[in-house]
Amino acid sequence: MNRFIFSRRGRIAGTATALTLSLMALTACNTGGGGTSPDAPAAEGGTLRVLLAAQATCIDPAVAFSGNERAIVRPIADSLVSMDPKTGEIKPWLAEKWEANPNSTEFTFHLKNGTTFSDGTPVDAEAVKSTFDYITKNLLTSSFRGAGYLRKYVKTEVVDAQTARVVFGAPAPYFLAGATTSTLGILSVSSAKKSPDERCAGDYIGSGPFTLDEYTQGQSAKIVKRQGYQWGPATADQQGPAHLDAINFKIINVSNARSGSLQSGQADVMIDVAKEDIPLLEKSGTVSFGTQPGMPMSLLANSSRPGLKDSAIMEALRTGFDRSSAVRAVLGERYTAATSVLTANLPQYKDESKLLEFNPKGAESALNVAGWTAGPDGVRVKDGVRAEFDVNFTSTYLAASSQMLQLFQQQMKDLGIVINLHDLPQAGLLQTISTHDYDFYVTSLTDVDPDIIRSTATRILDAETLKSSGVQALFDATAQETDPSARAVLFGDVQDALIEKGFVVPICEAGQLVASGQKVQHLGLDFQGYLDLYNTSLAK
């Protein structure tokens, strides 16, 4: 793969093919940062050194997927609206006010006056239009969440310079929450003239408190303070310029190497802290944790494959795994085992713990009754079909997923089920989805709206089985329902069906563990559990 190298002082060198709610769990973490008082006044100046855990392969806000990539792009690209991490309330950002029509097919945003992109051009309705048009025309295969938020997108009407009306062909009750994310961050009109590869390399213009100065794909990035910024989100403690002069991001994919750099003073912040490193890091600074809302780490079954339509197999996979013990062993006490296909901090969550209760004897009995008998090698067989399945995943964004799945593999072996693990690069994993060449696909997706399970399932799971099982009809109903209470009931039915009918095996709720040094002040985690560096400062 060729490497992107970007510098505002130079040019792109090299090319590559680019590929409310209750969020109280986030407030349980310490977001004061470092060893200083959270109430201490912010110091001005300095360069924050942040260690990322995995390669930032694309830093186009619309495409950026992992917490590593989002840490870089969030300070560069502002969004129309913001979300309070404590309450889930939608609040102003680039838009000072907004309204939706009764069936949620039209959203009208009234933009603040005086906001500009870093090239000096205004943040206006034309920029909103070009941002959303570009995603729907150029990035539907690479912007997974953008494709979901802009599903059924028709157009953006430029009512006047400061008023943009976003129009959908069907109800889009999930859109406003999506408009708070960096995925739908607003970029300049000139950015829409760039190719996807150029934008992945950082060649775009945002309106945020920082601008991109340097970017070397897979290695590092540097963003610098933007002078004159005065339109921070209403969720922030201040709306003026950032306190830091610059932020340097460096990628170190070995956890204990990141920890060592932080403890020795060579870095200020690191993400993805390993369980065994927490005690030492807490002595020298602060460890913050936020549960990431959305879809927990889960196995999604390709029910068109032999054996995976069998309810006994799926029951064994669901109840034969001691997920609570596995989570404690691999991730530690701050993480929790999944109890549904939505995380527990979403209001539409439905507790499915009874369906997921660890019961190896019950799993074994279900297999026996269904006619799955052990062969000479101990592997169960029924009607000539071996209970042997491939699980495709990537450890790129969560190194601990390998360990978690190895425990799953061991416990399934005890039941006579063979699990073959395949740790693939992200591009390879996406290829298996497009060709439907998998038995199980492992995913964990962060989002603030339950529509994440619809957009994920309809993209990955077998369409015919979704339809014949009645799950697709439930998904269609959720897409049409705009009343929050009725929508929550429908998503409760969806959660029942996805687990009972064997489409999804939830494993654990995802989270972000972040460590910071003594001098770091006001380090934040946003409503999705990602780094929020706008208000961060360094004590003198």
Side-chain angles (χ1 to χ4, degrees):
M1 176 184 292
N2 293 324
R3 179 168 292 141
F4 288 127
I5 302 175
F6 177 87
S7 175
R8 286 289 179 204
R9 297 187 292 271
R11 63 184 182 88
I12 297 175
T15 59
T17 301
L19 277 146
T20 303
L21 69 164
S22 173
L23 294 176
M24 299 309 292
L26 292 180
T27 65
C29 65
N30 181 340
T31 56
T36 59
S37 167
D39 298 322
E44 300 297 328
T47 297
L48 187 75
R49 299 160 300 173
V50 179
L51 300 181
L52 305 179
Q55 291 188 12
T57 56
C58 181
I59 57 169
D60 180 343
V63 180
F65 183 77
S66 71
N68 301 281
E69 294 163 337
R70 293 181 194 233
I72 299 171
V73 305
R74 179 74 287 183
I76 300 172
D78 293 339
S79 297
L80 289 170
V81 285
S82 58
M83 181 176 285
D84 191 309
K86 297 179 182 179
T87 67
E89 181 183 357
I90 307 293
K91 293 187 175 182
W93 197 344
L94 291 175
E96 61 184 357
K97 61 181 179 178
W98 57 91
E99 58 266 353
N101 66 352
N103 63 349
S104 296
T105 59
E106 295 183 359
F107 298 81
T108 303
F109 296 93
H110 305 272
L111 304 174
K112 294 177 182 176
N113 289 309
T115 57
T116 61
F117 293 104
S118 59
D119 63 356
T121 58
V123 177
D124 57 14
E126 287 288 354
V128 177
K129 173 179 171 57
S130 66
T131 295
F132 295 158
D133 285 354
Y134 188 93
I135 293 173
T136 55
K137 291 177 181 177
N138 299 283
L139 302 177
L140 287 183
T141 57
S142 57
S143 178
F144 177 65
R145 292 311 302 134
Y149 297 138
L150 296 175
R151 182 171 60 96
K152 303 295 184 182
Y153 173 82
V154 175
K155 62 182 176 178
T156 295
E157 298 175 352
V158 178
V159 180
D160 58 45
Q162 297 305 113
T163 309
R165 180 175 296 120
V166 185
V167 181
F168 293 86
Y174 45 82
F175 171 69
L176 195 58
T180 68
T181 67
S182 59
T183 302
L184 297 188
I186 304 302
L187 303 181
S188 69
V189 172
S190 64
S191 300
K193 299 175 183 178
K194 304 295 182 178
S195 71
D197 282 357
E198 288 173 321
R199 287 172 42 137
C200 266
D203 194 5
Y204 59 84
I205 303 294
S207 65
F210 289 86
T211 61
L212 182 66
D213 187 53
E214 298 176 1
Y215 171 59
T216 301
Q217 186 190 44
Q219 292 185 13
S220 62
K222 180 182 180 181
I223 60 176
V224 296
K225 177 180 180 176
R226 181 183 172 192
Q227 301 296 333
Y229 183 83
Q230 294 292 340
W231 46 86
T235 52
D237 294 334
Q238 57 111 14
Q239 279 70 51
H243 302 299
L244 296 164
D245 289 332
I247 304 174
N248 285 337
F249 298 93
K250 184 178 180 180
I251 296 161
I252 299 179
N253 57 16
V254 178
S255 179
N256 59 8
R258 293 195 301 277
S259 300
S261 294
L262 187 62
Q263 292 175 67
S264 66
Q266 298 177 63
D268 303 303
V269 176
M270 64 169 284
I271 68 172
D272 284 356
V273 179
K275 177 187 61 145
E276 55 271 18
D277 294 331
I278 292 175
L280 282 175
L281 291 171
E282 286 182 324
K283 290 180 180 179
S284 59
T286 300
V287 176
S288 304
F289 178 79
T291 297
Q292 295 178 310
M295 187 174 188
M297 176 184 172
S298 304
L299 279 72
L300 277 65
N302 183 355
S303 52
S304 67
R305 292 296 185 98
L308 294 184
K309 281 187 179 179
D310 193 293
S311 60
I313 286 288
M314 296 310 301
E315 180 181 344
L317 295 170
R318 187 175 73 234
T319 64
F321 179 48
D322 187 357
R323 51 182 56 76
S324 294
S325 296
V327 168
R328 286 194 300 272
V330 175
L331 297 172
E333 298 294 335
R334 302 186 189 216
Y335 287 82
T336 57
T339 52
S340 188
V341 295
L342 287 176
T343 56
N345 56 356
L346 285 172
Q348 300 86 358
Y349 158 84
K350 184 174 183 180
D351 187 354
E352 305 283 3
S353 53
K354 288 186 177 179
L355 289 174
L356 300 172
E357 186 177 3
F358 179 50
N359 183 10
K361 290 185 177 179
E364 185 175 8
S365 176
L367 291 168
N368 291 336
V369 170
W372 288 92
T373 58
D377 58 357
V379 180
R380 291 179 182 267
V381 180
K382 178 182 177 181
D383 299 331
V385 176
R386 280 170 57 88
E388 181 172 359
F389 308 105
D390 293 334
V391 173
N392 294 346
F393 72 103
T394 182
S395 59
T396 301
Y397 302 128
L398 180 62
S401 59
S402 297
Q403 298 168 269
M404 188 75 65
L405 291 171
Q406 285 167 12
L407 292 178
F408 176 76
Q409 181 185 50
Q410 292 169 13
Q411 293 182 28
M412 291 304 104
K413 183 179 179 181
D414 294 340
L415 292 172
I417 299 173
V418 173
I419 299 295
N420 300 313
L421 300 177
H422 303 282
D423 188 354
L424 305 175
Q426 181 70 7
L429 191 64
L430 293 175
Q431 178 65 25
T432 65
I433 296 173
S434 63
T435 59
H436 227 54
D437 185 21
Y438 68 94
D439 293 331
F440 287 98
Y441 166 84
V442 179
T443 191
S444 174
L445 292 168
T446 300
D447 210 307
V448 293
D449 190 272
D451 188 66
I452 184 64
I453 55 177
R454 181 211 57 79
S455 60
T456 302
T458 53
R459 183 186 184 195
I460 297 173
L461 299 178
D462 181 63
E464 288 301 319
T465 312
L466 282 175
K467 184 177 180 180
S468 63
S469 66
V471 174
Q472 186 60 56
L474 286 173
F475 281 142
D476 293 343
T478 66
Q480 295 295 320
E481 183 58 65
T482 59
D483 177 74
S485 297
R487 194 166 178 252
V489 171
L490 286 170
F491 271 109
D493 294 340
V494 167
Q495 291 166 80
D496 290 341
L498 288 175
I499 295 176
E500 289 176 347
K501 296 180 184 295
F503 288 107
V504 181
V505 180
I507 302 294
C508 70
E509 296 198 350
Q512 181 88 286
L513 265 174
V514 179
S516 55
Q518 290 284 337
K519 291 186 177 182
V520 179
Q521 299 175 306
H522 308 290
L523 182 70
L525 296 177
D526 70 8
F527 58 92
Q528 292 181 292
Y530 296 127
L531 275 181
D532 181 358
L533 301 173
Y534 171 43
N535 284 325
T536 303
S537 61
L538 284 169
K540 301 297 185 181

